[in-house]
Amino acid sequence: MNTLDSDDLLPEPRPGFGGRPPKLAEVVTVDDGPAVRHELTLAPGATAADLTTAMILVPPAASLISHHGDVDVSLVFREPPRSSPEEPTPR
């Protein structure tokens, strides 16, 4: 049976020049009333850990609606539309 030390799962340190490290995976949320979009941007060098940490901010019911990028990759998700307060709630 093979086992892994927990040290094997840690990401490699990234070189830095002082200050905060650059964000390699970032989510920006845009709320347009009933439509909410989440844009996840991945920069070169992003690890699976970076992606996983950012994806936590995207609701599980959000659907991928577009993607674009050349150097940085952006994935755009949209949440299911919310009902407006004037609409009656189904029973």
Side-chain angles (χ1 to χ4, degrees):
M1 179 174 177
N2 292 336
T3 59
L4 294 173
D5 290 334
S6 61
D7 291 338
D8 293 341
L9 301 177
L10 297 174
E12 293 183 28
R14 297 187 182 104
F17 300 103
R20 296 184 63 136
K23 288 191 175 188
L24 298 177
E26 185 173 27
V27 174
V28 174
T29 299
V30 177
D31 188 341
D32 291 329
V36 178
R37 292 187 327 267
H38 305 274
E39 183 171 340
L40 172 82
T41 303
L42 298 171
T47 64
D50 295 324
L51 173 61
T52 303
T53 301
M55 281 299 298
I56 289 171
L57 301 173
V58 178
S63 300
L64 181 66
I65 59 170
S66 69
H67 58 87
H68 48 88
D70 186 16
V71 176
D72 290 353
V73 174
S74 293
L75 305 173
V76 182
F77 296 85
R78 182 174 52 215
E79 290 184 33
R82 295 182 277 193
S83 60
S84 63
E86 303 87 45
E87 292 180 21
T89 306
R91 293 180 189 207

